[in-house]
């Protein structure tokens, strides 16, 4: 048995133990192989694409491709509005762009409603 075992990929519990060729988490009951945990650790890079398939990166400038109603307000973000200096993130639901829209303020957008400028 090794001194340091991997954390549980489901609940991040440090109490995982070996049972044969698998690792087992006593808190959530998850079972996984140590090789799969090592492979998954190297592939954390998430690729976010815009509405037409271009890969987005932090700091890019994007253009809104459809009118967006702002929840709780009568304001609308019009088609063609440029948004500069976006940040990619894991937001609520599928909102994966954090940005500041001129005249509106800070908000989160879906990558499916923008295209890279």
């Amino acid at each position: 048995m090794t001194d340091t075992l991997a954390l549980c990929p489901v609940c991040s519990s440090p109490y995982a133990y070996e049972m044969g060729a698998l690792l087992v988490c006593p808190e959530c009951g998850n079972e996984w192989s140590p090789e799969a945990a090592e492979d998954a650790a190297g592939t954390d890079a998430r690729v976010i694409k815009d509405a037409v398939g271009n890969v987005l990166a932090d700091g890019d400038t994007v253009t809104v491709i459809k009118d967006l109603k702002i929840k709780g307000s009568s304001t609308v973000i019009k088609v063609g509005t440029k948004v500069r200096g976006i940040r990619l993130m894991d937001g609520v639901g599928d909102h994966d762009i954090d940005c500041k829209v001129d005249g509106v303020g800070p908000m989160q957008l879906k990558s499916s409603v923008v295209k890279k400028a």
Side-chain angles (χ1 to χ4, degrees):
M1 194 168 194
T2 61
D3 292 333
T4 59
L5 295 175
L7 298 177
C8 175
V10 175
C11 68
S12 300
S13 171
Y15 304 113
Y17 61 91
E18 290 180 347
M19 186 169 71
L22 297 176
L23 294 175
V24 179
C25 176
E27 292 184 4
C28 69
N30 183 36
E31 297 179 355
W32 71 99
S33 67
E35 293 83 23
E38 292 172 6
D39 293 342
T43 59
D44 285 342
R46 182 173 162 219
V47 176
I48 298 176
K49 296 183 178 183
D50 65 1
V52 293
N54 298 322
V55 177
L56 297 174
D58 286 343
D60 281 347
T61 299
V62 295
T63 305
V64 177
I65 62 169
K66 65 184 238 179
D67 285 344
L68 301 174
K69 295 179 183 175
I70 299 174
K71 192 174 188 177
S73 174
S74 61
T75 309
V76 175
I77 299 174
K78 298 285 188 180
V79 172
T81 302
K82 285 195 174 188
V83 180
R84 293 175 178 83
I86 66 169
R87 288 180 292 165
L88 303 178
M89 52 166 274
D90 291 327
V92 177
D94 52 353
H95 291 78
D96 46 14
I97 297 174
D98 192 26
C99 61
K100 187 181 287 186
V101 180
D102 291 338
V104 178
M107 63 176 35
Q108 293 180 0
L109 297 173
K110 295 180 181 181
S111 59
S112 61
V113 298
V114 298
K115 71 175 182 176
K116 196 170 184 176

